């Protein structure tokens, strides 16, 4: 893709996405209602949130090479800190967002500082352990803050009027679209800035980066904090769209699913991850409908049981993808231009 | 050698891992501008010595000083900022980045612009100029936009060198820079290294297996064997040295 | 006093389960640098295999329990070996790919078990003696705790014997200590890799059945919890060190039990992670490990 074409394509897609609530078209097979129906807008908004979330994970995993298994934690910060401040403490939305921003900076900074003392696989294990501790904390419902397994519904009166009710779904959708656009822009800038280039160099060979006179630890921490912060932003949008917090998004499984999204779309491209996130959320939603539908009931158990488990299908798909298509779906497209320049010598 | 602070000074340097001595009691003073070649059979500890010098491994004994400053416990990046640069025995380029990006990154590091998150890397003029110069110096001028992974082996070794040059180190550690190169490419590489030493007045420590290549380059030669420094002297006296003969030259290579 | 004894034995029993899972993880990581996310799946599959093997057999409860134990060990071992051969081996040059396939396998297996057997816990039937308690220093301790401790102790002794006294054990140990040596010595690396997977899988399988014995129930999600605890144990103990894993497992199990009891539920789990952070800050290589790599 030439840069000019890419810019044009992104602008066109952005316009289309922003104008969607004004388009009353129905797309049979793809969405249940017309494009501007609340159901469709909500689904699309969630898809965009997951696209943004996958993108933030691509910064830390795809561009910096840090196999973090605790990314769900920072998403959960956006969801839970905002929800607790709004519901339990009755803060206004701006106040809640300010607190969330603070936590979303401090927590990845503190945890990243500890976790980055080890590398590779130990790093993966340790990030997972911290995320799991947070997940346990959320489930324990300390001081009645998190709502435990029930989660935490936003309820009435905690949000400004324009963000409540089916009639205002378009507003929430726009927020999600804005979050995706903003994370995309910041992420793009970050990986094209000098530190972003250092991230990629660290991914390729950390030792060589160090002997060039750069401190890899500081750069890795910066990547970890940026991606953690942006994940929390995506978390806020998720909270608004869902109208509440649920503990599933704090679990280790959710981080694994996130990893699946990014690898599905292609690692280290940003847009690959976005597509992965969007497609994943869409499929997850539709597969759930499909497996609850009647189509499967007539099948024998050996087929019905696996097919009605979206995570089974995704897990298998993921294995096949890793084994046979290491670049992800995005890699399919990328392969072509990458192979063109050949060494002459 | 008398009077001036050595560019690099190593005293009693040692590394033991699990009871095995890998580098043992190595002491060398390298005066500024010297070309010191380190030879020794496989497994002698040459690479490990370089790892200790550059901070990639930590010594269990002894001390290292760079320009009179103690760096024994400094992190690799601190040593690099103090003017110590190195290459690795196998090419360690950033394979996923373009050739230009490989050198620009190094230039940016040396110029102190790597942390400028508010800039776009492509718009930084100074690192770009330095990067282009380094590529031209090693003869990779026409290969800027090639994915580094797609370079030929010889080109990768040159890129390795260009990355190093971009950081403008005072003391350069080269670990077998011609290893694995096609025979016809080797003389050019040697010429390149000689010119770096001569024109840019750098202190060079180079590990090399092929004695014939380095006899004309070296001011002094050091011979390592079983982790220890066997001898250090002018090339002709090293060649004549009996201990070296039996320990090293006697070994079939 | 009796509460303390009870907590002590129960905590050690929990630690014994962690150890059984962690030992395999640690060996696999030490020798192959593979983070095996599917290790929790080995645990879960073995637990269900043991459960169904036992209930399928019209025999005395003791024989049933024993058959279940063997079936679990076998299931864990076979599952692990298949994983190594089919998924890990084709990816030897892609370490991240190896982690990713085990992630996929863990997700798929968990979903499948849940789909097939439901997510609700199932009660396991145990021999009467195991449902009874023995009084030790005034504390009534469930007999299952002793069973778990005894078997984990045997595994620890067996592993140490294997590593220190047998030819393949020496190879594995040499590989853990110096990876370049394994290939340098021209050793049959592939067989050693399959072997550690088999051992790790069997230990995890044993843990799966013993977990059922310890808790009295099985459910699909316990494998994941075990896996995460085992990760923590492995890092605290020092990657690649079996004695380190055993020590860390005991510490983690005890810490969890005592704090969950004396402070509040969940505090123990949290404290373990704090401990992990502390170990990483002070000794990044773990308690009995070398410098972190
Ligand atoms: N981290 C380590 N742990 C154990 N042994 C090591 C370690 N690093 C190096 N060695 C051993 O130390 C010895 C010296 O290795 P080194 O690579 O320094 O030799 P070299 O002189 O560079 O050899 P070559 O000419 O083959 O490059 C080798 O036997 C090697 O196996
Ligand atoms: Mg060497």
């Amino acid at each position: 893709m030439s840069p000019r074409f890419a810019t044009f394509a992104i602008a066109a897609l952005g316009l289309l996405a922003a104008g969607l609530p004004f388009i009353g078209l129905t797309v049979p097979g793809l969405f249940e209602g017309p494009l501007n129906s609340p159901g469709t807008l909500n689904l699309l908004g969630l898809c965009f949130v997951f696209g943004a979330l996958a993108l933030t994970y691509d910064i830390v995993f795809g561009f910096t090479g840090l196999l973090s298994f605790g990314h769900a934690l920072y998403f959960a910060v956006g969801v839970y800190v905002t929800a607790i401040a709004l519901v339990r403490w009755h803060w206004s939305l701006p106040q809640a967002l300010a607190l969330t921003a603070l936590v979303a900076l401090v927590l990845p900074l503190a945890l990243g500082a500890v976790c980055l003392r080890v590398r590779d696989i130990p790093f993966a294990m340790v990030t997972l352990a911290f995320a799991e501790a947070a997940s346990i904390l959320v489930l324990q419902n300390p001081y009645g803050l998190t709502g435990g397994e029930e989660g935490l519904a936003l309820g009435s009166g905690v949000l400004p009027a324009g963000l409540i009710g089916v009639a205002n779904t378009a507003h929430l959708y726009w927020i999600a679209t804005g979050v995706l656009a903003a994370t995309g822009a910041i992420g793009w800038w970050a990986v094209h800035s000098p530190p972003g280039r250092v991230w990629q160099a660290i991914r390729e060979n950390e030792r060589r980066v160090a002997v060039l006179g750069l401190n890899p630890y500081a750069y890795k921490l910066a990547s970890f904090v940026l991606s953690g912060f942006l994940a929390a932003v995506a978390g806020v949008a998720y909270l608004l769209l869902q109208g509440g917090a649920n503990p599933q998004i704090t679990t280790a499984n959710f981080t694994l699913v996130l990893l699946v999204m990014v690898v599905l779309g292609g690692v280290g491209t940003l847009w690959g991850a976005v597509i992965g996130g969007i497609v994943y959320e869409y499929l997850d939603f539709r597969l759930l409908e499909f497996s609850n539908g009647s189509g499967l009931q007539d099948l024998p158990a050996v087929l019905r049981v696996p097919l009605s488990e979206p995570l089974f299908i995704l897990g298998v798909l993921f294995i096949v993808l890793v084994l046979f298509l290491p670049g992800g779906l995005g890699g399919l497209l990328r392969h072509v231009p990458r192979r063109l320049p050949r060494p002459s010598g | 050698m008398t009077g001036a602070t050595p560019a690099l000074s190593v005293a009693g340097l040692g590394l033991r891992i699990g009871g095995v001595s890998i580098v043992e009691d190595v002491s060398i003073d390298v005066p500024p501008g010297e070309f010191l070649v380190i030879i020794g059979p496989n497994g002698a500890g040459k690479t490990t010595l370089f790892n200790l010098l550059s901070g990639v491994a930590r010594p269990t004994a002894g001390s290292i000083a760079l320009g009179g400053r103690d760096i024994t416990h400094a992190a690799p990046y601190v040593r690099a900022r103090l003017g110590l640069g190195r290459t690795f025995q196998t090419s360690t380029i950033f394979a996923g980045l373009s050739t230009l990006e490989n050198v620009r990154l190094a230039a940016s590091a040396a110029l102190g612009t790597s942390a400028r998150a508010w800039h776009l890397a492509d718009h930084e003029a100074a690192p770009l100029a330095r990067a282009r110069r380094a590529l031209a110096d090693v003869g990779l001028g026409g290969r800027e936009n090639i994915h580094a992974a797609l370079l030929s082996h010889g080109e990768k070794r040159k890129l390795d060198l260009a990355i190093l040059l971009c950081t403008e180190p005072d003391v350069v550690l080269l670990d077998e820079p011609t290893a694995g190169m096609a025979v016809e490419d080797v003389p050019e590489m040697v010429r390149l290294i000689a010119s770096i030493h001569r024109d840019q007045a750098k202190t060079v420590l180079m590990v090399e297996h092929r004695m014939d290549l380095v006899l004309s380059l070296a001011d002094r030669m050091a011979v390592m064997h079983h982790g220890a420094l066997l001898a250090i002297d002018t090339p002709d006296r090293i060649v004549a040295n009996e201990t070296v003969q039996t320990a090293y030259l006697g070994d079939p290579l | 006093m009796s509460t303390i004894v009870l907590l002590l034995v129960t905590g050690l029993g929990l630690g014994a389960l962690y150890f059984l899972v962690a030992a395999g993880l640690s060996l696999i990581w030490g020798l192959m640098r593979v983070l095996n996310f599917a290790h929790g799946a080995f645990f879960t599959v073995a637990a269900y295999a043991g459960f169904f093997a036992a209930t399928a057999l019209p025999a005395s409860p003791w024989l049933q329990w024993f058959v279940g134990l063997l079936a679990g060990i076998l299931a864990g071992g076979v599952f692990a070996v298949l994983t190594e051969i089919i998924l890990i081996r084709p990816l030897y040059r892609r370490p991240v790919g190896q982690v990713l396939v085990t992630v996929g396998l863990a997700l798929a297996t968990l979903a499948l078990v849940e789909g097939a057997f439901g997510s609700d816990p199932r009660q396991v039937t145990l021999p009467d003696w195991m449902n009874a308690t023995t009084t030790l220093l005034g504390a009534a301790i469930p007999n299952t705790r002793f069973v778990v401790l005894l078997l984990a102790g045997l595994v620890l002794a067996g592993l140490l014997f294997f590593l220190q006294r047998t030819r393949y054990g020496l190879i594995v140990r040499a590989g853990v200590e110096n990876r370049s040596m394994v290939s340098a010595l021209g050793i049959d690396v592939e067989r050693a890799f399959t072997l550690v997977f088999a051992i790790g899988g069997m230990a995890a399988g044993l843990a799966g059945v013993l977990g059922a014995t310890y808790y009295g129930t099985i459910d699909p999600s316990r494998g994941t919890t075990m896996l995460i605890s085992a990760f923590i144990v492995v890092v605290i103990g020092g990657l690649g060190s079996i004695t380190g894993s055993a020590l860390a497992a005991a510490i983690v199990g005890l810490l969890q039990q005592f704090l969950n009891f004396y402070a509040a539920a969940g505090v123990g789990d949290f404290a373990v992670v704090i401990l992990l952070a502390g170990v990483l800050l002070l000794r990044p290589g773990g308690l009995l490990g070398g410098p972190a790599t």
Side-chain angles (χ1 to χ4, degrees):
Chain A
M1 269 196 295
S2 75
R4 182 165 302 179
F5 174 74
T7 317
F8 178 76
I10 287 172
L13 278 176
L15 267 178
L16 179 68
L20 211 65
F22 303 111
I23 304 176
L25 272 177
T26 43
V27 188
L30 217 49
F31 297 108
E32 297 277 308
L35 284 180
N36 62 357
S37 68
T40 305
L41 286 179
N42 198 276
L43 172 59
L44 279 173
L46 283 176
C47 284
F48 291 170
V49 166
F50 279 94
L53 178 60
L55 183 145
T56 68
Y57 191 61
D58 199 23
I59 292 176
V60 78
F61 172 57
F63 281 87
T64 322
L66 297 173
L67 186 56
S68 165
F69 274 113
H71 205 62
L73 172 55
Y74 307 107
F75 185 66
V77 164
V79 176
Y80 270 95
V81 175
T82 312
I84 290 171
L86 287 173
V87 176
R88 301 285 188 235
W89 302 333
H90 307 290
W91 290 16
S92 71
L93 187 61
Q95 286 171 329
L97 291 181
L99 178 71
T100 305
L102 187 71
V103 177
L105 274 179
V106 172
L107 195 67
L109 191 65
L111 294 188
V114 173
C115 296
L116 287 169
R117 287 179 58 82
V118 288
R119 295 195 175 81
D120 306 325
I121 302 305
F123 173 80
M125 293 181 175
V126 173
T127 47
L128 179 73
F130 277 113
E132 184 66 10
S135 182
I136 291 170
L137 196 67
V138 166
L139 282 176
Q140 292 296 336
N141 193 14
Y143 306 104
L145 282 177
T146 62
E149 284 184 34
E150 308 281 296
L152 196 55
L154 284 184
S156 58
V158 300
L159 284 179
L163 296 178
I164 302 168
V166 176
N168 285 320
T169 306
H171 295 163
L172 299 175
Y173 165 82
W174 274 320
I175 287 176
T177 314
V179 164
L180 176 59
T183 10
I186 294 171
W188 185 89
W189 186 281
V191 302
H192 285 86
S193 72
R197 295 291 157 85
V198 177
W199 294 342
Q200 292 165 62
I202 289 173
R203 176 192 69 196
E204 303 286 329
N205 192 331
E206 179 172 345
R207 193 177 267 191
R208 183 71 197 248
V209 171
V211 301
L212 291 178
L214 299 169
N215 183 0
Y217 180 83
Y219 285 90
K220 288 193 287 186
L221 188 56
S223 168
F224 196 81
V225 172
L226 177 72
S227 73
F229 181 80
L230 292 178
V233 174
V236 174
Y238 177 83
L239 172 74
L240 297 179
L241 275 166
Q242 290 286 62
N246 58 300
Q248 276 83 32
I249 55 112
T250 67
T251 58
N253 253 9
F254 187 72
T255 299
L256 298 189
V257 161
L258 193 59
L259 186 66
V260 173
M261 289 182 210
V262 175
V263 175
L264 209 66
V267 173
T269 59
L270 293 186
W271 57 269
V274 172
I275 293 174
I278 292 176
V279 169
Y280 172 85
E281 175 60 14
Y282 177 80
L283 282 183
D284 191 46
F285 190 83
R286 299 304 297 230
L287 278 177
L288 213 63
E289 272 182 357
F290 169 71
S291 53
N292 292 337
S294 56
L296 283 176
Q297 301 306 327
D298 309 329
L299 289 174
V302 259
L303 288 177
R304 194 189 65 235
V305 169
L307 286 180
S308 57
E309 290 291 332
L311 271 182
F312 174 79
I313 299 174
L314 272 164
V316 172
L317 189 72
F318 186 62
I319 292 173
V320 171
L321 207 68
V322 172
L323 282 176
F324 301 111
L325 193 68
L329 299 177
L332 269 184
L333 299 170
R334 213 172 24 153
H335 260 44
V336 187
R338 272 214 174 175
R339 289 237 171 118
L340 283 180
R342 297 218 167 262
S344 61
Chain B
M1 223 187 282
T2 46
T5 324
L8 185 71
S9 171
V10 179
L13 200 64
L15 175 70
R16 292 179 74 85
I17 296 180
V20 183
S21 208
I22 293 171
V23 168
E24 200 174 338
D25 196 24
V26 170
S27 302
I28 314 174
D29 277 345
V30 188
E34 184 174 61
F35 200 121
L36 176 70
V37 170
I38 300 167
I39 60 170
N42 286 105
K46 308 178 295 289
T47 298
T48 310
L49 177 64
F50 273 17
N51 286 346
L52 293 174
L53 295 179
S54 59
V56 168
R58 294 301 162 92
T60 48
S63 65
I64 310 163
L66 187 70
R69 190 166 172 164
D70 182 65
I71 55 163
T72 315
H73 304 290
Y77 76 94
V78 175
R79 300 176 198 220
R81 284 183 192 169
L82 293 173
L84 183 74
R86 77 168 287 185
T87 61
F88 292 83
Q89 188 164 350
T90 48
S91 305
T92 44
I93 52 167
F94 305 112
L97 307 178
S98 75
T99 305
L100 178 65
E101 203 50 64
N102 268 270
V103 270
R104 177 159 59 190
L105 197 86
S108 195
L111 291 165
T113 60
S114 297
R116 293 190 181 168
W118 55 95
H119 285 203
L120 286 178
D122 286 344
H123 295 173
E124 297 253 325
L128 184 65
R130 190 190 275 202
R132 290 223 159 104
R133 205 164 53 236
L135 282 184
D137 280 350
V138 301
L140 285 176
R143 313 284 284 161
E144 278 189 5
N145 295 318
I146 308 278
H147 240 267
L150 298 174
L151 292 174
S152 74
H153 187 79
E155 287 175 322
K156 282 183 185 159
R157 303 253 55 170
K158 288 182 192 166
L159 179 57
D160 237 339
L161 204 57
I163 295 174
L164 177 69
L165 291 180
C166 269
T167 62
E168 302 201 337
D170 306 320
V171 178
V172 182
L173 312 178
L174 302 173
D175 196 352
E176 301 198 32
T178 64
M181 264 186 145
V183 189
E184 62 270 22
D185 293 339
V186 172
E188 195 196 333
M189 192 64 168
V190 173
R191 254 197 317 278
L192 201 60
I193 294 168
S195 77
I196 290 165
H197 172 240
R198 198 179 50 239
D199 304 341
Q200 308 188 9
K202 302 212 185 294
T203 309
V204 180
L205 279 75
M206 178 165 120
V207 170
E208 185 53 69
H209 260 302
R210 285 175 268 194
M211 284 268 266
D212 52 316
L213 284 181
V214 294
L215 283 174
S216 60
L217 287 178
D219 295 321
R220 282 195 298 165
M221 286 176 96
V223 185
M224 283 190 80
H225 193 54
H226 292 314
L229 197 62
L230 210 60
I232 176 162
D233 214 329
T234 56
D236 38 336
R237 270 190 272 178
I238 288 289
V239 175
N241 187 321
E242 294 231 338
T243 335
V244 176
Q245 291 282 347
T246 42
Y248 180 58
L249 300 178
D251 277 17
L253 284 176
Chain C
M1 178 63 193
S2 65
T3 319
I4 291 182
V5 174
L6 179 64
L7 287 174
L8 211 62
V9 178
T10 309
L12 284 178
L14 193 60
L17 292 178
Y18 293 160
F19 165 73
L20 289 175
V21 181
L25 274 180
S26 182
L27 275 184
I28 290 172
W29 196 85
L31 187 66
M32 305 165 68
R33 293 296 186 269
V34 171
L35 173 62
N36 182 24
F37 255 91
H39 222 71
F42 300 167
F43 177 99
T44 306
V45 166
Y48 278 86
F51 175 79
F52 286 114
T55 45
L57 206 72
S60 77
W62 271 105
L63 191 60
Q64 278 192 332
W65 182 82
F66 195 68
V67 166
L69 195 73
L70 290 185
I73 295 173
L74 191 70
V78 170
F79 193 9
V81 167
L82 289 180
T83 304
E84 200 273 335
I85 293 175
I86 298 173
L87 297 181
I88 306 287
R89 196 172 288 179
L91 296 173
Y92 271 148
R93 294 179 165 276
R94 292 173 43 207
V96 173
Q98 291 178 327
V99 181
L100 297 184
V101 286
T102 62
V103 166
L105 184 62
L107 287 176
T109 310
L110 187 68
L112 197 61
V113 171
E114 224 171 80
F117 309 122
S119 51
D120 295 330
R122 286 178 187 229
Q123 204 78 33
V124 295
T125 42
L126 294 173
D128 287 336
W129 179 79
M130 286 199 201
N131 289 323
T133 59
T134 301
T135 307
L136 182 77
L137 299 173
I141 293 168
N143 289 333
T144 52
R145 308 303 189 249
F146 299 116
V147 175
V148 171
L149 275 171
L150 177 74
L151 285 175
L154 285 178
V155 170
L156 173 62
L159 275 177
L160 288 178
F161 179 82
F162 165 75
L163 287 175
Q164 280 160 11
R165 291 290 144 78
T166 66
R167 199 182 110 75
Y168 262 102
L170 282 174
I171 294 173
V172 170
R173 218 172 47 157
V176 171
E177 274 160 23
N178 187 353
R179 269 162 57 73
S180 56
M181 213 145 102
V182 185
S183 33
L185 291 176
I187 289 160
D188 185 353
V189 189
E190 290 207 345
R191 204 174 303 169
F193 286 178
T194 313
L195 187 70
V196 288
F197 253 85
I199 293 174
M202 289 194 295
L206 176 64
V209 180
L210 287 182
T213 306
Y214 181 96
Y215 290 101
T217 59
I218 56 173
D219 69 64
S221 64
R222 188 171 294 131
T224 311
T225 327
M226 279 287 159
L227 178 72
I228 290 166
S229 298
F231 280 162
I232 297 175
V233 163
V234 168
V235 176
I236 291 181
L239 282 153
S241 163
I242 292 294
T243 28
S245 288
L247 180 68
I251 295 175
V252 167
L254 289 173
L255 196 63
Q256 274 182 347
Q257 284 297 314
F258 274 90
L259 286 182
N260 279 345
F261 183 82
Y262 282 112
V267 173
D269 308 280
F270 208 72
V272 165
V273 177
I274 303 298
L275 174 69
L276 174 72
V279 169
L280 279 179
L281 282 173
L282 301 174
R283 276 188 72 94
L287 293 180
L288 297 188
T293 41

